[in-house]
Amino acid sequence: MNLQQLKYIIAINRFRNFAKAADSCNISQPTLSTMLQKLEDELDVRIFDRSNKQVTPTSAGKKIIIQAQKTLIEAEKITELVAEEKNQIGNSLSLSVGPSIAPYILPQFIKHYRKKHPEVSLSIQERKSEEMLNALQNGEIDAGISASDILNKGVLEIPLYTERFYVYLSEDCWRKLPVFKPENLEHENMWIMKEAQCLRNSAFSFCKARSKGQHIYEAAA
């Protein structure tokens, strides 16, 4: 058993397709199949069921894959420790950013990061919050930036910035208050984001409850 074989089974589990998994690992499909077979023979257990053109992990395979992900993450830390000792920056950074905030923070981030660390291969993908957390735990990405309050065990969260909520009222509205509180929304008709939008949760965190206001309109963006 070696780390390369563990990377292969993680790729197979991710794509559930041998051709795509082999391509992501930059090897041929026969090589991938052979390495998987060797690992299964060594462990004397079937990791994946390959029937009816479907690839699914077995009961034992699911446990092995989880342990493989943990092992690769811990192995990667050795490289990171050495780099830190030598005051070096890693040769790659894989980052995910939420689609709602990506257009506002990425242009400046890419500009400054590339200027400061030209030797680093930077890869950035847009992902929704739940997909991002899964990718972090699976070791597919190094870090993520998201406007979300979804926390998972084993994921370190560092607040980057906060934004104010603004309330827009007509000039003749009677509610000209110095401070607008959540309870002031009780009888208002609210426009809210659809479920796919991370800003939806941010709005509800201000309201403290999803029952505030009357949800008569949902916007996709």
Side-chain angles (χ1 to χ4, degrees):
M1 184 191 309
N2 55 55
L3 295 179
Q4 200 64 49
Q5 288 174 310
L6 300 184
K7 291 180 181 179
Y8 293 160
I9 65 172
I10 289 174
I12 295 171
N13 182 62
R14 177 184 178 187
F15 293 100
R16 302 295 173 92
N17 179 284
F18 276 81
K20 292 181 180 179
D23 186 59
S24 71
C25 296
N26 295 316
I27 60 174
S28 67
Q29 184 173 337
T31 299
L32 181 67
S33 298
T34 299
M35 295 300 288
L36 171 61
Q37 188 62 56
K38 287 183 178 180
L39 182 58
E40 289 181 327
D41 291 343
E42 179 182 346
L43 297 176
D44 191 25
V45 70
R46 193 84 162 171
I47 299 176
F48 292 99
D49 279 328
R50 285 91 81 181
S51 60
N52 298 325
K53 296 183 179 181
Q54 292 183 341
V55 180
T56 56
T58 62
S59 177
K62 292 178 181 178
K63 298 176 182 178
I64 293 172
I65 291 166
I66 291 174
Q67 191 59 46
Q69 291 168 340
K70 293 179 180 178
T71 301
L72 289 177
I73 290 173
E74 291 301 318
E76 183 64 27
K77 288 181 181 179
I78 296 176
T79 304
E80 294 173 357
L81 287 172
V82 174
E84 288 179 5
E85 192 68 22
K86 296 180 178 180
N87 293 319
Q88 296 176 342
I89 300 294
N91 59 2
S92 66
L93 174 64
S94 178
L95 181 69
S96 281
V97 182
S100 298
I101 59 177
Y104 306 101
I105 66 174
L106 284 185
Q108 287 299 316
F109 169 78
I110 294 174
K111 175 184 176 181
H112 291 293
Y113 192 88
R114 295 296 298 148
K115 183 177 181 180
K116 189 174 182 180
H117 305 293
E119 74 283 5
V120 177
S121 175
L122 181 62
S123 172
I124 303 177
Q125 297 179 343
E126 283 191 2
R127 293 177 188 256
K128 296 176 183 178
S129 298
E130 291 186 3
E131 295 175 356
M132 189 182 301
L133 286 170
N134 289 333
L136 276 170
Q137 293 183 314
N138 294 338
E140 297 173 23
I141 58 175
D142 299 310
I145 303 175
S146 174
S148 174
D149 56 356
I150 303 176
L151 296 179
N152 280 25
K153 185 178 180 181
V155 176
L156 173 64
E157 180 186 277
I158 302 174
L160 294 180
Y161 62 90
T162 58
E163 293 182 312
R164 293 181 178 181
F165 274 103
Y166 288 91
V167 177
Y168 293 88
L169 304 171
S170 63
E171 291 184 358
D172 59 350
C173 181
W174 64 272
R175 291 192 180 185
K176 293 182 179 179
L177 307 171
V179 178
F180 203 87
K181 299 179 180 180
E183 51 265 27
N184 297 132
L185 296 174
E186 293 258 0
H187 305 290
E188 296 297 327
N189 294 323
M190 296 175 62
W191 287 22
I192 58 176
M193 293 290 194
K194 294 184 76 67
E195 289 287 353
Q197 297 291 332
C198 57
L199 292 179
R200 176 189 178 96
N201 290 332
S202 298
F204 281 131
S205 67
F206 171 76
C207 299
K208 304 299 182 184
R210 298 187 177 225
S211 59
K212 297 288 184 184
Q214 302 175 48
H215 306 165
I216 63 169
Y217 180 79
E218 289 195 358

